[in-house]
Amino acid sequence: MVKVSIIVPVYNKENYIKDCLDSLINQTLKEIEIICVDDKSTDHSLEIVEELKQVDKRIKLIKSPLNLGSSAARNLGLKEAKGEFIGFVDADDFVEPDFFEKLYKESNGYDCIKGEVWDYNSLTKKSSLNRASNLNKTIKDSNNPLYFYYGFTSAIYRKEFLDTNNISFPEEIIYNEDPYFSLMVATKLKNIKVVDNAKYFYREVLDSQCRVLTKEKGNIFYKGMTMMINYLNNLSSMTYEDKYILVYQMINQTFYTFEKGCLDDEEYKLLTNGFKALLKNDREVSEPKISIIIPIYNAEKYLRNTLAHLMFQSFYEIEIICVDDKSTDRSLEIVEELKQVD
């Protein structure tokens, strides 16, 4: 019986794919299958996979007829997977030898078992716990799967759970597709198990452009985030508090993308309006319990982030009083813009 099917989307990763697959071949959990989906690579990635396939028959190779993106590649792998659980590893990342064994050992009664994400610096060969994995403590303390928004590759998922809930990757999004997948998982999970010291290594590739934000990726990000907002809008059974958990994480990611210059003002405004609409509820504030006073002078670089975090406080019975001290930059304009939203 295949305990875990590990899906690896491959596109032009000739410098790293061998390290990735070696880490999977050498897993202490032997009852695995390694499904490599080549997304029409133009370098030597395919040759390396075919060579390793001769060494370990657990490696299966799917060749995409076109370059369709990692979402489509992962979905092709999902269709072929035979394992009780599904795992995902990116072709330039790797895992510790006992990663999948540690997760599988804790799987009884759970549909999702999550480990840790560690950043690995290719230059220094040093690793450190990724800040996104700090959510592990929050997930454990709250016992709430809705905090699982980052690090989808650090988990395994019961295949029956994914199939029953029709969970896959959005193929119309070729960048930042993983939060949508995580969002669907988190909203369907009844429970989640977090396992300490099960390490997935996210390689920081210094010469790679695939993890650099661009305006084109910003446009795709906007499309994906809009899809996530629409998805949550259709979940009528969710409480305000549960929606807040997800929206807070979504807007943090939106802030970051906007600050990097990858979203224009109109896209940012539309997303912010969407977040506010998600959290709109019948509990109107007639008399605020807390007044927050913010003196402002030429703070355009940080102001939008500061105000938005206040706007999305879980404690909603507040008023935000901005006092502009004759700013000469865009600070006043930013306040006026966000004032229309809240």
Side-chain angles (χ1 to χ4, degrees), residues 125-283:
K125 311 297 184 186
K126 293 182 179 179
S127 59
S128 59
L129 185 65
N130 184 290
R131 65 186 182 89
S133 277
N134 291 339
L135 286 175
N136 283 12
K137 185 178 186 304
T138 304
I139 294 170
K140 284 196 292 187
D141 291 346
S142 66
N143 196 29
N144 191 336
L146 292 176
Y147 285 101
F148 182 29
Y149 183 77
Y150 297 103
F152 84 101
T153 52
S154 66
I156 58 173
Y157 311 85
R158 193 177 297 275
K159 187 175 189 299
E160 183 182 8
F161 165 78
L162 296 180
D163 291 343
T164 301
N165 291 287
N166 197 28
I167 296 174
S168 61
F169 291 85
E171 296 188 13
E172 58 270 51
I173 305 174
I174 58 174
Y175 165 74
N176 201 50
E177 70 285 348
D178 41 315
Y180 188 87
F181 175 85
S182 296
L183 181 72
M184 293 184 69
V185 168
T187 54
K188 299 296 185 182
L189 280 175
K190 298 294 188 292
N191 55 35
I192 184 172
K193 177 69 174 180
V194 173
V195 179
D196 293 329
N197 209 35
K199 298 180 181 180
Y200 178 103
F201 290 97
Y202 174 96
R203 188 190 298 268
E204 297 173 337
V205 183
L206 302 180
D207 60 344
S208 174
Q209 294 300 309
C210 68
R211 289 170 175 171
V212 176
L213 286 177
T214 63
K215 187 64 177 70
E216 180 183 3
K217 288 182 178 178
N219 293 336
I220 300 170
F221 173 89
Y222 170 77
K223 182 179 180 180
M225 195 59 70
T226 301
M227 288 174 58
M228 292 167 69
I229 290 171
N230 292 337
Y231 174 80
L232 288 178
N233 267 324
N234 291 325
L235 295 180
S236 56
S237 60
M238 286 194 74
T239 65
Y240 174 87
E241 288 75 17
D242 282 347
K243 281 187 179 179
Y244 173 81
I245 291 171
L246 293 168
V247 169
Y248 183 78
Q249 296 176 89
M250 290 162 65
I251 197 145
N252 268 337
Q253 193 177 22
T254 300
F255 293 156
Y256 176 80
T257 306
F258 180 78
E259 292 297 329
K260 292 293 183 180
C262 300
L263 287 175
D264 60 36
D265 288 348
E266 183 62 21
E267 289 171 332
Y268 179 83
K269 184 176 180 180
L270 288 171
L271 290 180
T272 304
N273 284 335
F275 297 139
K276 291 299 295 184
L278 277 174
L279 296 179
K280 187 177 181 180
N281 57 83
D282 297 329
R283 297 176 292 185

Side-chain angles (χ1 to χ4, degrees), residues 18-19 34 42 88 102 119-120 153 178 182 193 232 243 245 256 260 266 284 311 318 337:
K18 188 178 186 305
D19 286 348
I34 304 164
T42 57
F88 301 96
K102 283 181 176 177
D119 292 326
Y120 176 81
T153 52
D178 41 315
S182 296
K193 177 69 174 180
L232 288 178
K243 281 187 179 179
I245 291 171
Y256 176 80
K260 292 293 183 180
E266 183 62 21
E284 296 296 334
M311 289 162 57
I318 64 175
E337 176 193 321

Side-chain angles (χ1 to χ4, degrees), residues 96-123:
E96 276 199 330
D98 58 355
F99 176 75
F100 286 105
E101 182 176 20
K102 283 181 176 177
L103 298 185
Y104 187 81
K105 277 186 174 179
E106 300 293 335
S107 64
N108 188 33
Y110 294 94
D111 290 326
C112 179
I113 308 92
K114 184 183 184 308
E116 299 173 343
V117 179
W118 285 65
D119 292 326
Y120 176 81
N121 188 300
S122 296
L123 186 62

Side-chain angles (χ1 to χ4, degrees), residues 286-331:
S286 55
E287 291 294 331
K289 292 182 179 179
I290 298 177
S291 297
I292 303 169
I293 300 172
I294 306 175
I296 299 169
Y297 179 72
N298 290 359
E300 66 177 358
K301 185 176 180 180
Y302 309 104
L303 185 58
R304 193 187 301 270
N305 199 358
T306 299
L307 290 179
H309 275 86
L310 293 174
M311 289 162 57
F312 290 96
Q313 288 292 299
S314 57
F315 185 79
Y316 57 91
E317 296 173 276
I318 64 175
E319 64 176 355
I320 305 167
I321 302 173
C322 297
V323 183
D324 182 68
D325 194 22
K326 209 67 176 175
S327 294
T328 57
D329 62 359
R330 294 184 62 247
S331 295

